[in-house]
Amino acid sequence: MSVSQVINPATEEVLADVEQFDEAGVDDAVARAKVAQRHWAKLAPAQRAAALRAFAATVDAHVDELAALEVANSGHPIGQAEGEAGHVRDVLQFYSASPERLSGKQIPVAGGLDVTFNEPLGVVGVITPWNFPMTIAAWGFAPALAAGNAVVLKPAEWTPLTTMRLGELAVESGLPADLFQVLPGKGSVVGERFVSHPDIRKVVFTGSTEVGTRVMAGAAAQIKRVTLELGGKSANIVFDDCDLEKAAATAPYGVFDNAGQDCCSRSRILVQRSVYDRFMELLEPAVKGVVVGHPNVRATEMGPLVSRPHWESVSAYVPEGAPVAFRGSAPSGPGFWFPPTVLTPQRTDRTVTEEIFGPVVTVLPFDDEADAIALANDTPYGLSGSLWTDNVSRAIRVSRAVEAGNLSVNSHSSVRYNTPFGGFKQSGLGRELGPDAPLSFTETKNVFFAVEEL
Ligand code: NAD
């Protein structure tokens, strides 16, 4: 096995050396997962529910430890990291109700009894990105386990530590050995083996649209099921009839959360021309007020970028002479720091069309509702977005017209474990979270029992 170094993005210190799985290691893990899954699926639903509740309780008892690990590995501010660990517990708790509720249907037919069963798929492979390592892992493994599957999970190379710890906590909580295995390694090795392995029946992939396209193409060879959660370039549409102070005060948090390394980041602010100047006056102090600092400090609202290569990729979008309206602050010294940055480019600029995945937002004026909708939809992505208006009819019209999976009116909320999440267009395929997620880890089997007439 080869070894990969994990770096603390706020200090640039080496945190750990992580052994990388190779193809043979994946094959061995999948063989063991296959055996574990058969036993798991045979357990009484109440037993599987209890096991998931025990896993949730174990995560709950380790929230502080998991949060500290995420601060160190990903540079997430401590308060947010605690929220993420708590979210993993909540997702497990929510889906622990599912084993006893996957009830299928009884369908009235002539000549007998017809029922459907929600059969587990078998072994599910989950591939996660580096931006929200714990939460995105849980969106895959919790409903998959609840539906009776085994899970092998490949975390991102830069941020494997919390997911590896979750794998240990699963075993400590009493979950059967081999049922949920975390396999750190390269995308080109472990990730690709998940796609090609015939005993992995579904791949849940969260990451870039570029790699997601390859995963989907590879999965086609075996008609393998996929859920894809991919990139985004979401719009925050500010109409002239909204609470402009609130829209401006909250806009930085809609895009700079997690240093903009958020697939739901509202990275294009679209402002009605009649209030554009006033909005920019209000936005400037809000952006400068974002507290950027060491993630261990409780007051910190935004930490560093995840790595040096990512810092370089984000920096390339703000070269000398870029149309910078204003910027917030960032610490100097070691760490991959990047200040919140507001750009006012042309509509066709690549900062408007490409996912930057950093704390860089573009602000563009629009003329009327039709122009706002056209601009919002002028992207291959369709993940998220916000709109600000006090006109209920407009809120309904625009939220129906914007091609995105998760919209919020007069707020920037998008992910709740109990509501569905996913993208339109090239932002993805399928939905995670919400009450129906376990169904996407099952096959529907229809069985007809002929009944003899007396
Ligand atoms: P990435 O596509 O580079 O990597 C994602 C994962 O795929 C990693 O674990 C990587 O090792 C693995 N991988 C790489 N090559 C692979 C291959 N050939 N086969 C299989 N797996 C492979 O993405 P990233 O840079 O880690 O994450 C950032 C991207 O993720 C952004 O585009 C962001 O929008 C997206 N994202 C989407 C969501 C969502 O829910 N829609 C959530 C978070 C992040």
Side-chain angles (χ1 to χ4, degrees):
M1 279 192 186
S2 62
V3 163
S4 166
Q5 272 188 346
V6 175
I7 309 282
N8 180 326
T11 63
E12 302 187 39
E13 285 162 5
V14 176
L15 262 183
D17 287 323
V18 174
E19 284 192 359
Q20 308 286 287
F21 273 71
D22 57 15
E23 203 172 301
V26 175
D27 290 359
D28 176 57
V30 172
R32 286 184 284 112
K34 209 174 152 184
V35 176
Q37 189 270 331
R38 288 200 202 103
H39 293 294
W40 176 242
K42 277 188 195 144
L43 290 180
Q47 283 177 296
R48 278 187 274 129
L52 291 174
R53 282 196 290 272
F55 188 8
T58 304
V59 171
D60 187 49
H62 292 81
V63 161
D64 291 344
E65 181 200 333
L66 288 163
L69 205 52
E70 203 66 278
V71 169
N73 191 171
S74 302
H76 292 190
I78 179 69
Q80 292 171 29
E82 286 165 356
E84 290 159 24
H87 180 86
V88 174
R89 170 205 57 220
D90 294 344
V91 171
L92 277 164
Q93 192 72 37
F94 184 65
Y95 290 114
S96 71
S98 299
E100 295 179 279
R101 287 172 174 76
L102 281 170
S103 48
K105 286 190 174 125
Q106 178 269 314
I107 299 170
V109 292
L113 172 71
D114 194 282
V115 289
T116 65
F117 297 93
N118 301 122
E119 303 286 11
L121 301 174
V123 181
V124 172
V126 178
I127 301 172
T128 58
W130 47 260
N131 61 331
F132 287 107
M134 275 190 280
T135 52
I136 292 175
W139 302 352
F141 70 68
L145 293 171
N149 301 281
V151 173
V152 288
L153 192 155
K154 192 202 91 61
E157 290 90 323
W158 291 335
T159 59
L161 299 186
T162 48
T163 318
M164 290 166 64
R165 187 69 186 119
L166 284 172
E168 293 167 2
L169 293 175
V171 177
E172 281 176 35
S173 75
L175 217 64
D178 302 330
L179 186 70
F180 171 43
Q181 301 176 60
V182 177
L183 317 181
K186 285 188 176 171
S188 57
V189 178
V190 178
E192 290 202 5
R193 186 60 186 145
F194 281 14
V195 174
S196 67
H197 199 301
D199 286 334
I200 294 186
R201 296 295 167 82
K202 171 162 188 163
V203 171
V204 177
F205 173 84
T206 306
S208 60
T209 296
E210 187 188 348
V211 178
T213 307
R214 292 184 56 178
V215 167
M216 190 171 174
Q222 296 167 21
I223 319 292
K224 188 171 292 198
R225 279 66 180 138
V226 287
T227 294
L228 302 172
E229 296 287 2
L230 309 175
K233 190 71 185 176
S234 299
N236 174 12
I237 312 173
V238 180
F239 286 101
D240 63 1
D241 56 17
C242 79
D243 178 343
L244 205 64
E245 277 72 19
K246 197 170 172 195
T250 56
Y253 300 95
V255 58
F256 301 140
D257 183 44
N258 201 24
Q261 303 165 123
D262 184 336
C263 50
C264 291
S265 166
R266 276 68 167 170
S267 53
R268 294 182 297 148
I269 305 179
L270 313 178
V271 186
Q272 194 150 11
R273 205 177 291 280
S274 48
V275 292
Y276 179 87
D277 290 342
R278 178 68 187 137
F279 180 83
M280 291 301 271
E281 276 170 24
L282 293 166
L283 183 64
E284 183 164 356
V287 168
K288 292 186 169 164
V290 175
V291 183
V292 184
H294 199 286
N296 267 329
V297 177
R298 221 152 251 289
T300 293
E301 293 177 316
M302 191 184 116
L305 292 173
V306 70
S307 69
R308 173 67 59 197
H310 190 56
W311 184 92
E312 278 162 9
S313 151
V314 173
S315 299
Y317 285 95
V318 191
E320 273 298 306
V324 175
F326 39 83
R327 302 184 93 166
S329 62
S332 51
F336 311 122
W337 303 102
F338 199 94
T341 300
V342 178
L343 302 178
T344 50
Q346 297 299 312
R347 287 183 176 199
T348 50
D349 194 78
R350 78 179 187 112
T351 55
V352 176
T353 56
E354 295 176 15
E355 184 183 44
I356 300 173
F357 224 56
V360 180
V361 68
T362 59
V363 190
L364 297 179
F366 67 82
D367 295 318
D368 54 21
E369 199 175 301
D371 191 29
I373 292 166
L375 256 182
N377 288 339
D378 186 17
T379 167
Y381 296 116
L383 188 55
S384 182
S386 304
L387 54 121
W388 292 78
T389 176
D390 279 351
N391 178 331
V392 175
S393 295
R394 169 173 279 167
I396 294 169
R397 280 194 307 270
V398 177
S399 57
R400 295 301 301 273
V402 173
E403 297 162 344
N406 300 84
L407 293 169
S408 49
V409 178
N410 296 333
S411 81
H412 296 298
S413 106
S414 41
V415 180
R416 283 181 208 80
Y417 59 81
N418 46 3
T419 59
F421 175 74
F424 278 34
K425 302 195 285 186
Q426 291 182 31
S427 283
L429 184 71
R431 291 293 178 271
E432 296 192 291
L433 299 175
D436 299 331
L439 286 176
S440 65
F441 294 100
T442 65
E443 293 288 4
T444 300
K445 179 183 286 172
N446 191 74
V447 183
F448 172 73
F449 298 84
V451 175
E452 287 178 16
E453 298 293 330
L454 279 181

